[in-house]
Amino acid sequence: MLLKKLFRTLWHYKAQFISMVLMIAMGVGVFLGFNIEWYSLEKNLTEIYEATHFADYRIYAEQAFSEKDLQAVLAIEGVEDATRYLSVITSVKDSEDTLALTVVENPKVSGMLIISGEEYDPESPDGIWLSDSYAAANGISVGSGLTMTYKTITVTGTVKGLVKSSEYLICLPDETQMMPDYSSHGYAFISPKMLDAAIPAAYRLIVGNSLYMQLNVKSSLEKADFVEKTDHALGRTLLVLSRDETISWSEAQGEVDEGKTMGSILPVLFLAIAILTMVTTMHRITASEKTQIGTLKALGFRDKRILRHYTSYALIIGILGSILGIAIGYGLGWFILNPDSAMATYLDMLSWTLYAPAFCWIVIILINVFLTLIGFLSVRKMLKGTAADALRPYTPKRMKHMALEETKRFKALGFGTKWNLRDLLRHKSRSWMTLFGIVGCMVLLVGGMGMKDTLDSFMDVFFDRAYNYTTKINLDTESVTNEEALKIADTYAGDWVAQRSVQIGDRGVILEVYEITHDKVRFADRDMNVIPLGDDGVYISERIAKANSLAAGDSLTLSPYGTDEQYTVRVAAVCKCLTESIMMTRAYADRTGIPYTISAVFTDETDIAANTHILNTQNKQAIMDSFITFIDLMNKMIWLLVIAAVALGIVVLYNLGVMSYTERYREMATLKVVGFKNSKIGRLLISQNLWLTVLGILIGLPAGVGVLQYLLTALASEYEMRLTLGPGTYLVSVLLTFGVSLIVGLMVARKNRTIDMVAALKTEE
Amino acid sequence: MAIVEFKKVSRVYKNGEHEQRALDHVDLSLEEGKFIVVLGPSGAGKSTLLNMLGGLDSPTEGTIVVDGKDISTLTENELADYRAETVGFVFQSYNLIPTLTVIENVALVKEIAKNPLSSHDMLREVGLSDHIHQFPSELSGGEQQRVSIARALAKNPRILLCDEPTGALDSETGVMVLKLLLSMARDMHKTIIIVTHNQNIAKMADVVIRVKNGRIQSCEEQAAPLSVEEVDW
């Protein structure tokens, strides 16, 4: 019988019941969805790193490594495994494509995972194990023939298998590219035996017996320790890059960190609002059921049974909300992260399986336990005392006089204002929840849209104002001389840059030497103002400044990669940059004696004649497009948050509005009997909502800016952005919050038309 | 002159297929300035009659004319104006706004009534001048009922409608409230209609209406109504 009552009561409170389920569902959904995003990315990344034995260190040398070198490294204590490794960019015969031809002696380090076809055979004389993404983009299948050329070496073979490798997780032909394009570039593994057979005798005479310019190592040693030990073992100073300095690791981890940051504050706030509102609603429903609870007690039902009966409401709501929330969470996770997303073009992972972090399940279980406990405690409170006590209807707290009431200003207030003001103070938890809901909605809107403004302003400064060129001509630094490069720059009336990798301590950054005579490249200072480069020192990115505690006027020592030379330079200013870079003019570079090779020319010309020294050309739009792909994920999250904020705002405010309406039902009936019109009562109801909205907006606006600042600080390791809020964001978030509040207010206020005065006033207090 | 006229008024409540006739072809004519008591057992239709007259409910058949105006065809807003200007209500359960003080509860009628009386005067009349800044929950039941009477009278209505005004009070307090109602009716020349179970109250009335099964059984004028003190409570 009680079960029947359970369902009928749920039906009776259907508006509150549905809104509570929705609140929990949305809170759990957004919280879970955002955490699924970064956690799935991390898990799927770990999967491919482990499956293809991603190396911890890469040692590069000007001269190839011998077998003896390999053994010396393997003998280092703390080195688990190592391999000689070769990766060179080859051109594919009969096409303009390029493939990174890869040879790994010991595939237990930096190896591959077979997706289809034959197992890798290190003895195969003609087998090619090709990137499956490149194969798919070019219609190549197992059994197809392929010829690749590197300088005088030509390799011809048959595709034996299609593979993936974490070394090429982000597969780019050179540093000038930001976004993989498998239709024109991929990678292919061949056996050491096949490589050996392909080296012509004449070439062998020049380069010696080995082409392996790289040693890839698995080791848990710290970088400084590892560098010291390898330098000692190999007897020379070499360029060593840890996995943190490898694109396929650092960029992918950056995406994970970005997801963690986005998931760390706003979705938590979201969940908190949902839970707190649910708690308030649960308590109120129990209070309005007090007489029924008393009746059951008076009938002879034991407290335990009544507790179980009423507690099960909270449990049912919690469970239904959680189930729906889990579905929403996975839906959101899939929306942000799926094999058809931009992220899947960027990261060539094995799978895009969604995983939820264990703590999310714990949080969901705790939420259910908490809600049930709240239900339990509310009912227990109502059951206190004798059956007669329980039978008495719930009475809200007695009104108390406030100091405020003694003021002249308060006395001069209209009745409606006093009524609403006292009601707010009498039902404090409801008022707080409403305020909290509005503040939350506002924070989510300001945070979300402000992030979009910040990103837009970032794009605007860099791509519309700082990058004042149309075409970037990338030069082949291996073959070009500065004289030849200058000729190219002259021909196209362009400015140029010489890029090279340098180290500050053991941290790798990019050094850029610029010659700007045509205003094709400008720079952004910390306030995002576009500035020219001066000859008075180097301009460093914020990240470098922060990592090395540098400010304008300090000096900085840098060392080009793989050398022992050191240069001390003066920091002229700290700038906002896309990459971690140190920038200087040609004049300053000449003065300090830092060597450089021109690597790119910036011009407005679009018709660039073929030249052996030109690697490729890129138009600004293409560079911009690839950057947009990076922020696409963040944009998606932002829009999800904004939509979710509005939805949550509506549900929370509607729920609290209905609660307020129910609690003031009798008072409104009285007003109606006295002669108040529906419209006037409606205005009274809405005005309370609007006060809270104005207050919520006043608090939410700065809070939103604070949250945004926090997010930007957390994202500072990836993007050097400056908090920017456009007037549109202020306007839209205020109007949207106001609009939500007003619409919900009107929806609730409309209900007063249906007040049954006779029935309402007959009920005993 | 009749201030209230019921002409063949019926009120039928439908609940699914079940039909309940709360008032059945009631004809009634009441004169201004009288103290009228409506008596009847539970479910007789006396409260329905009062609600119809107060503009809280509309008849399904017939017309109700109050002060020359047919209120049975008024729109919701017109009914609100009618309640604001013509009638005042006093309920068994007081129905005060808990978040407003005594004076504010009375003064709130200023928001709607065209010719409201001074709230302070009204509270002085009901003997609550010393309690004007208290909240209803700080008052006794009798005091709360007096506030509700002050509120009803502050609108300066022609008719005061009271539904079991002493129902929730002990007899001593009830007598005090009745005395107050009666003296105000006489002094301010109001028509007072009280709905009650209490036969004793009827002894004070100018007119006694007995209702049973939705019909008027009798409507008698009493030539010599007793004073409150004369009634044996």
Side-chain angles (χ1 to χ4, degrees), chain A residues 401 422 666 672 674 678, chain B residues 76 83 95 104 133 155:
Chain A
H401 289 278
R422 293 219 186 88
R666 204 183 162 85
K672 239 174 143 168
V674 170
N678 283 329
Chain B
E76 213 172 309
R83 289 194 296 268
N95 291 324
E104 289 160 2
H133 295 306
K155 285 196 287 185

Side-chain angles (χ1 to χ4, degrees), chain A residues 235-262:
Chain A
R236 51 193 158 145
T237 302
L238 295 159
L239 170 61
V240 176
L241 291 186
S242 69
R243 59 185 185 183
D244 300 331
E245 294 161 296
T246 316
I247 281 188
S248 287
W249 179 274
S250 63
E251 294 291 321
Q253 289 308 313
E255 296 295 335
V256 172
D257 291 342
E258 191 179 301
K260 265 188 197 168
T261 307
M262 291 298 281

Side-chain angles (χ1 to χ4, degrees), chain B residues 11 51 54 75 81 104 149-150 154 156 176 185 201 225:
Chain B
R11 180 64 172 100
N51 293 339
T75 63
D81 287 338
E104 289 160 2
I149 293 169
N156 199 9
M176 205 167 74
I201 299 176

Side-chain angles (χ1 to χ4, degrees), chain A residues 57 222-232 238 240:
Chain A
Y57 291 103
E222 287 296 314
K223 187 176 176 186
D225 195 16
F226 181 79
V227 170
E228 196 195 321
K229 284 181 173 162
T230 46
D231 283 359
H232 179 74
L238 295 159
V240 176

Side-chain angles (χ1 to χ4, degrees), chain A residues 420-452:
Chain A
N420 274 323
L421 205 59
R422 293 219 186 88
D423 181 72
L424 285 178
L425 296 168
R426 191 184 197 202
H427 301 284
K428 285 194 193 71
S429 58
R430 188 187 74 211
S431 312
W432 278 115
M433 284 305 105
T434 310
L435 187 64
F436 197 50
I438 295 165
V439 169
C441 181
M442 193 68 194
V443 166
L444 291 168
L445 287 174
V446 173
M449 292 200 296
M451 186 60 116
K452 174 113 185 63

Side-chain angles (χ1 to χ4, degrees), chain A residues 9-205:
Chain A
T9 310
L10 288 178
W11 180 248
H12 179 70
Y13 291 107
K14 53 188 175 298
Q16 281 106 321
F17 174 68
I18 293 171
S19 63
M20 279 193 282
V21 169
L22 282 179
M23 276 186 299
I24 294 300
M26 284 203 287
V28 167
V30 171
F31 176 75
L32 187 65
F34 274 64
N35 283 299
I36 280 182
E37 186 270 323
W38 69 262
Y39 189 67
S40 304
L41 201 54
E42 191 172 70
K43 286 276 276 184
N44 288 316
L45 283 171
T46 309
E47 183 194 8
I48 189 167
Y49 290 139
E50 282 177 2
T52 63
H53 316 290
F54 192 70
D56 296 315
Y57 291 103
R58 286 145 197 82
I59 312 172
Y60 298 88
E62 304 277 317
Q63 282 188 330
F65 289 104
S66 63
E67 178 63 33
K68 208 174 125 197
D69 292 333
L70 175 67
Q71 292 309 323
V73 170
L74 277 169
I76 296 171
E77 200 181 323
V79 167
E80 290 139 31
D81 210 346
T83 181
R84 291 198 291 174
Y85 192 85
L86 168 76
S87 171
V88 287
I89 302 289
T90 61
S91 9
V92 178
K93 195 181 171 193
D94 300 328
S95 82
E96 294 197 347
D97 295 357
T98 50
L99 280 172
L101 179 71
T102 313
V103 187
V104 55
E105 277 191 316
N106 167 16
K108 282 186 185 154
V109 181
S110 302
M112 74 209 88
L113 191 83
I114 308 291
I115 304 297
S116 63
E118 289 175 24
E119 279 304 306
Y120 172 71
D121 174 10
E123 299 294 321
S124 172
D126 65 341
I128 296 173
W129 281 264
L130 186 68
S131 146
D132 68 331
S133 299
Y134 175 81
N138 291 281
I140 299 171
S141 51
V142 174
S144 305
L146 206 59
T147 300
M148 293 165 275
T149 311
Y150 172 71
K151 294 185 178 166
T152 57
I153 304 171
T154 298
V155 178
T156 302
T158 309
V159 177
K160 294 272 173 84
L162 300 180
V163 299
K164 279 198 194 295
S165 167
S166 52
E167 293 293 329
Y168 297 105
L169 184 74
I170 299 170
C171 184
L172 301 171
D174 56 68
E175 310 88 65
T176 63
Q177 305 292 318
M178 289 172 88
M179 200 67 193
D181 177 7
Y182 286 98
S183 66
S184 63
H185 177 76
Y187 56 91
F189 283 83
I190 60 168
S191 68
K193 194 168 181 181
M194 187 171 168
L195 172 73
D196 203 41
I199 303 173
Y203 194 73
R204 204 182 283 272
L205 277 176

Side-chain angles (χ1 to χ4, degrees), chain A residues 268-409:
Chain A
V268 175
L269 175 74
F270 210 95
L271 189 61
I273 296 172
I275 294 172
L276 287 173
T277 318
M278 157 93 190
V279 168
T280 317
T281 316
M282 198 62 224
H283 176 70
R284 296 307 165 104
I285 287 189
T286 316
S288 59
E289 282 284 292
K290 187 168 187 280
T291 326
Q292 294 223 30
I293 293 173
T295 307
L296 290 177
K297 188 166 175 159
L299 278 173
F301 280 90
R302 291 202 172 165
D303 283 5
K304 225 187 234 175
R305 180 117 188 249
I306 300 172
L307 273 168
R308 205 165 53 222
H309 173 74
Y310 277 96
T311 306
S312 55
Y313 289 101
L315 189 66
I316 288 176
I317 291 167
I319 289 175
L320 281 181
S322 300
I323 292 172
L324 199 58
I326 291 167
I328 293 175
Y330 274 91
L332 290 185
W334 183 251
F335 174 71
I336 305 172
L337 203 70
N338 66 69
D340 298 321
S341 65
M343 187 57 68
T345 317
Y346 189 49
L347 304 173
D348 190 22
M349 295 200 292
L350 288 177
S351 58
W352 293 83
T353 317
L354 296 180
Y355 298 95
F359 74 82
C360 282
W361 300 117
I362 296 170
V363 166
I364 293 172
I365 292 169
L366 285 179
I367 288 171
N368 279 283
V369 170
F370 179 67
L371 292 179
T372 311
L373 186 71
I374 290 295
F376 175 83
L377 293 176
S378 307
V379 182
R380 207 176 61 169
K381 198 173 160 194
M382 302 297 156
L383 276 170
K384 260 188 191 164
T386 62
D389 292 333
L391 263 171
R392 268 181 217 114
Y394 171 77
T395 40
K397 274 186 226 154
R398 287 187 147 214
M399 282 305 299
K400 280 186 201 147
H401 289 278
M402 305 171 288
L404 176 77
E405 289 175 19
E406 299 308 318
T407 60
K408 260 190 190 168
R409 194 162 284 182

